[in-house]
Amino acid sequence: MDEMPTRPSGDDWPGGDTAEGGAARQPVFNMPAGILFCLAGLAVIYFVQSTLLSPNLAEWLVIEFGFSPLRYVYGFSEQGYEWLWTPLTYSFLHGSLEHLAFNGLWLAAFGTPVLRRIGGWRFAALWVVSAAGGALAHALVNWGQPTLMIGASGVISALMGAACRFAFGPGRSVRVQPDRPLPRLSVPAALRQRTVVVFIAVWLFGNLVIAIGMPLVGALSGAVAWDAHIGGFLVGFLGFAAFDRPLPRD
């Protein structure tokens, strides 16, 4: 992750007030409150899922709120409303503590610059749309299959794609003033940035390795929804302009 800019004082940047003598007080967590809220929410959900619920209730939770392409083979009138909410709710569930920690680290890394740029409500909208985009990609690749997908990886992939539109490239990693955000790159302009191209190439290679079945280790060794990663990334990279704030005029 690129080094985040020094935060100036002011109401828009909590923890940025100056102490006596002009020295800036550093916050305990150098992340927006929205990211801390997301991390805490995911952690609480996993704690309830893994600790407070019985095995049968935990299984019910995953089935009820996890995403499965099988639901879209049958008529909606022949089933409950899980087909409606699961393209979003699967992104709040995780299968293991390692799964949660891995996604939490990437959420902190890429969610922080994106949320600081676009604000909380736009960030929430991006989460909803990218979760649905990841679910759609997974459904298209696994149409009619009884797979059950959980995890925020598709959303995090969208945040990575969104960051490629403004956070990478020469001169794009240091001391950006909040009232003077860097211009959003067009898709062709972003693809002309060597840093962006290298990042996307490495990211795609990692998902290709997963797609061809190279085994992983540890608690992440189960099936990984690489297709949802790609669907989410495309939402963030190609569709970021729909969520970005208008830049201030001179």
Side-chain angles (χ1 to χ4, degrees), residues 7 28 35 76 83 126 168 178 250:
R7 295 167 67 177
V28 177
I35 296 298
F76 295 150
W83 62 270
L126 177 57
F168 295 145
D250 293 332

Side-chain angles (χ1 to χ4, degrees), residues 14-240:
D17 296 335
T18 56
E20 292 183 7
R25 293 200 302 265
Q26 296 297 322
V28 177
F29 296 104
N30 193 24
M31 286 185 287
I35 296 298
L36 293 175
F37 177 82
C38 290
L39 293 172
L42 294 178
V44 168
I45 291 172
Y46 180 74
F47 176 77
V48 172
Q49 173 189 349
S50 61
T51 304
L52 301 184
L53 298 184
S54 67
N56 287 339
L57 277 178
E59 182 179 5
W60 171 86
L61 182 72
V62 171
I63 294 174
E64 188 77 5
F65 295 98
F67 179 81
S68 176
L70 188 61
R71 290 192 171 102
Y72 302 90
V73 174
Y74 302 99
F76 295 150
S77 61
E78 302 174 14
Q79 56 180 306
Y81 291 99
E82 292 86 352
W83 62 270
L84 182 61
W85 62 66
T86 53
L88 171 63
T89 56
Y90 80 92
S91 65
F92 303 133
L93 301 174
H94 290 84
S96 69
L97 185 59
E98 185 178 357
H99 188 199
L100 173 64
F102 184 82
N103 280 346
L105 287 173
W106 288 113
L107 174 59
F110 286 92
T112 293
V114 174
L115 189 145
R116 281 181 177 163
R117 180 182 177 98
I118 69 177
W121 290 110
R122 293 172 186 265
F123 184 89
L126 177 57
W127 186 298
V128 171
V129 175
S130 59
L136 175 61
H138 183 70
L140 293 176
V141 174
N142 301 276
W143 186 253
Q145 298 299 313
T147 61
L148 194 61
M149 180 175 68
I150 58 175
S153 300
V155 173
I156 293 166
S157 295
L159 298 175
M160 293 177 176
C164 289
R165 297 286 299 276
F166 70 91
F168 295 145
R172 289 183 167 259
S173 60
V174 293
R175 304 190 183 279
V176 181
Q177 296 298 324
D179 59 342
R180 289 292 178 189
L182 288 166
R184 180 182 66 250
L185 297 174
S186 66
V187 171
L191 293 176
R192 288 195 294 268
Q193 296 286 342
R194 182 176 181 274
T195 306
V196 172
V197 172
V198 170
F199 176 83
I200 294 176
V202 172
W203 184 87
L204 285 174
F205 176 77
N207 281 277
L208 177 62
V209 167
I210 295 170
I212 64 177
M214 183 173 290
L216 302 177
V217 297
L220 298 177
S221 59
V224 177
W226 58 270
D227 36 33
H229 298 178
I230 293 176
F233 187 89
L234 290 176
V235 169
F237 185 66
L238 300 179
F240 179 62

